[in-house]
Amino acid sequence: MTRPQQQDTKSSRRLANERIIVPVAHQLRVAGALSVASGLIWPAQAGALAWAISGWVMGEMNRTNIAALFFVLGGLLSAHLKRAAGAYLFDAADQTIARERAALISREARARAGISSAEIAALAVQKLPLLQPWITRYHVAMMRVSILPVVLLAVTFWFSWAAGLVLLVTGPLIPVFMALVGMAAEEASRRQMVEVGTMNAMLMDRLSAMLDIRLLGAIDRASAEFEERAEALRVKTMAVLRVAFLSSTVLELFSAIGVAMIAVFVGFTLLGEITFGSWETPLGLGEGLFLLLIAPEFFQSFRDLAAAWHDRAAGLSVMAELEELDAVERVAFLGAARATAPLSGPISLELCGAAVAYSERILPLPNFKLNAGESVALVGPSGAGKSTTLEAIAGLVPLALGHITVCGETLDEDKADAWRARIALIPQKPHFSDQRLRHWLDPDADEADLWGALTLAEADRIVARLPDGLDTHLGETGGGVSGGEARRLMVARAVLSGRELILADEPTADLDPETAALVIASLKRLKDAGHSLIVATHDPAVFGAMDATVKVKP
């Protein structure tokens, strides 16, 4: 890794720490202190246990009850402290994940990045929870490893300088090797996170195009591509696991060597074969048992840190992805997307010298006017900016030049929400929420209003043949209705919304002439009912049904 890369990595880690750890630092400190206090109880319990066992050897059985009581009370206190620490830690993790998820969803809802919704979903649902182990384990493990081994080492030296020397030599080797392995762990985790997002994006893409895939006979090819991505994810996941197993092997090796050396030293000392290693008096049975009991605990803090080190690597990988997403250039829509009273005054619209910054270029919008009850067709080749014009009219794309006047006022940040309260959009790809059709159309409408709007939109027979009528759940993509039927249902929804201006984006795209004619008829009925219409279209039949045609030039 070059020096600039190292500096970037350090800067990224510092920013990640400020973003994730600093807001919950108090809770982490309290949890760490409770965890350390819990860990400090074990030497006292080990002392009581060693004292009782040495008493048994010497025939002093009266020590048992006292040691047992002390051991049980210590265990209960330790469990209580651990439980309290866990409550602080998981509360901090829940707060952090909820905050990051809310910020992510809020930002993406207002200004989408140029990546697929599947990758955003994978980040929000699958990856953000990986911050929890980092928060709940790593920082407490760091605090424990900075205090408990030092305390246990000091206690060990108090009884035996030889045993203390063994721990002093073997202990520091573990963090050194752990840091070396941790570099590989972080990179492997980052590659795995990227692959998870890629696989989710590919899956959503293939599912949305499943009908076309089947019609083109490309099922085998799609399956092979999915299998290839799944295999790539498996390889990257196994790479993470290999690094984890490697670090665990190194840790257990040095831990086992350290504990074994102390066991050998204590054993041979008690047998009288080793006469050095203690200060003035040789180790007794009680002291030897005590050293054997606390030696594994000395290494346990390092074990916990090693496990948490991988959690930290996974968390930093997630944070790197969040930071990359933060840096993506976005264009936010106007307004705050809040329910508000409709903009007052008669419906009117005027575009004058308007242009938007789109895909690193300035895209000019056509100049035209629209009054109440009028209809306009936006025509032009693909990519000319018809859909962008509709988005700009709705305040979903801010202007780089010129202005748009709505109801006699300039469309800006303050007027956008009120203006949108008078607009209904019929998108090219209808989307249905997971609820009954009657509630999707209008949760407050009565039966008569629903059927009246459906009749106006030429959609009453569509609902009549559905298995559950208005109580049918169509699913996200409108399962059970065709594309043309879905668009007529969208027209009915626009009628029930009571909005005066209807924006329709390619309402007859991909429809056969008969179905397109039904959609056009429903749009004409909207106009006859007093609505104003702006329709982006390639279809001559559609702009032939409108009052005026506006050419959108690329």
Side-chain angles (χ1 to χ4, degrees), residues 357-371:
Y358 184 74
S359 296
E360 300 181 353
R361 66 188 179 98
I362 299 297
L363 183 66
L365 305 181
N367 296 325
F368 70 94
K369 295 182 180 180
L370 179 79
N371 295 314

Side-chain angles (χ1 to χ4, degrees), residues 189-258:
S189 295
R190 184 174 289 112
R191 288 195 294 266
Q192 183 194 28
M193 293 299 103
V194 171
E195 193 62 43
V196 168
T198 302
M199 187 171 181
N200 275 275
M202 191 200 73
L203 178 60
M204 290 301 297
D205 181 63
R206 297 301 183 271
L207 287 175
S208 63
M210 184 57 69
L211 181 60
D212 294 333
I213 290 173
R214 294 179 64 183
L215 289 173
L216 295 172
I219 294 177
D220 291 340
R221 180 177 176 181
S223 300
E225 290 177 348
F226 189 77
E227 183 178 352
E228 182 181 349
R229 288 261 63 87
E231 176 63 17
L233 178 59
R234 185 194 68 81
V235 170
K236 289 179 173 59
T237 302
M238 292 304 297
V240 174
L241 293 177
R242 278 196 297 271
V243 173
F245 284 127
L246 174 61
S247 62
S248 298
T249 301
V250 171
L251 175 63
E252 293 303 326
L253 173 64
F254 285 105
S255 299
I257 291 174

Side-chain angles (χ1 to χ4, degrees), residues 35-300:
S35 183
V36 169
S38 173
L40 291 174
I41 293 174
W42 174 246
Q45 289 179 291
L49 188 59
W51 179 66
I53 294 174
S54 65
W56 298 346
V57 174
M58 293 184 293
E60 299 178 11
M61 303 302 294
N62 58 333
R63 297 183 181 183
T64 303
N65 292 336
I66 299 174
L69 179 62
F70 192 87
F71 193 88
V72 170
L73 291 177
L76 292 174
L77 178 59
S78 178
H80 178 73
L81 292 174
K82 288 179 180 178
R83 182 179 181 275
Y88 277 102
L89 290 171
F90 281 95
D91 182 58
D94 291 343
Q95 289 179 22
T96 301
I97 294 171
R99 183 185 69 245
E100 290 296 328
R101 184 175 286 148
L104 173 66
I105 293 174
S106 175
R107 182 184 62 201
E108 292 303 318
R110 184 173 177 83
R112 282 284 306 277
I115 63 176
S116 73
S117 58
E119 292 180 83
I120 297 296
L123 182 57
V125 177
Q126 293 177 272
K127 299 179 184 180
L128 280 179
L130 295 177
L131 296 176
Q132 185 190 72
W134 179 23
I135 296 170
T136 58
R137 297 175 64 181
Y138 176 72
H139 288 273
V140 168
M142 284 291 291
M143 187 174 290
R144 284 173 64 90
V145 86
S146 64
I147 297 175
L148 293 181
V150 176
V151 173
L152 295 175
L153 184 63
V155 172
T156 302
F157 264 110
W158 178 267
F159 290 98
S160 169
W161 60 264
L165 192 60
V166 169
L167 297 183
L168 185 62
V169 171
T170 56
L173 291 175
I174 296 173
V176 172
F177 281 96
M178 194 167 58
L180 294 175
V181 174
M183 296 176 186
E186 187 173 340
E187 182 60 30
S189 295
R190 184 174 289 112
R191 288 195 294 266
Q192 183 194 28
M193 293 299 103
V194 171
E195 193 62 43
V196 168
T198 302
M199 187 171 181
N200 275 275
M202 191 200 73
L203 178 60
M204 290 301 297
D205 181 63
R206 297 301 183 271
L207 287 175
S208 63
M210 184 57 69
L211 181 60
D212 294 333
I213 290 173
R214 294 179 64 183
L215 289 173
L216 295 172
I219 294 177
D220 291 340
R221 180 177 176 181
S223 300
E225 290 177 348
F226 189 77
E227 183 178 352
E228 182 181 349
R229 288 261 63 87
E231 176 63 17
L233 178 59
R234 185 194 68 81
V235 170
K236 289 179 173 59
T237 302
M238 292 304 297
V240 174
L241 293 177
R242 278 196 297 271
V243 173
F245 284 127
L246 174 61
S247 62
S248 298
T249 301
V250 171
L251 175 63
E252 293 303 326
L253 173 64
F254 285 105
S255 299
I257 291 174
V259 174
M261 289 178 68
I262 290 179
V264 169
F265 168 74
V266 169
F268 278 96
T269 299
L270 294 177
L271 290 173
E273 299 295 329
I274 296 179
T275 58
F276 63 89
S278 302
W279 296 106
E280 293 183 359
T281 58
L283 288 178
L285 177 61
E287 292 88 347
L289 287 174
F290 177 72
L291 291 178
L292 287 174
L293 287 171
I294 66 171
E297 193 65 20
F298 174 83
F299 292 103
Q300 185 59 47

Side-chain angles (χ1 to χ4, degrees), residues 287-327:
E287 292 88 347
L289 287 174
F290 177 72
L291 291 178
L292 287 174
L293 287 171
I294 66 171
E297 193 65 20
F298 174 83
F299 292 103
Q300 185 59 47
S301 297
F302 293 108
R303 286 191 182 95
D304 295 339
L305 181 59
W309 195 272
H310 297 283
D311 298 328
R312 172 181 176 269
L316 288 174
S317 298
V318 175
M319 288 309 304
E321 192 164 338
L322 281 174
E323 289 171 5
E324 289 177 7
L325 192 59
D326 292 344

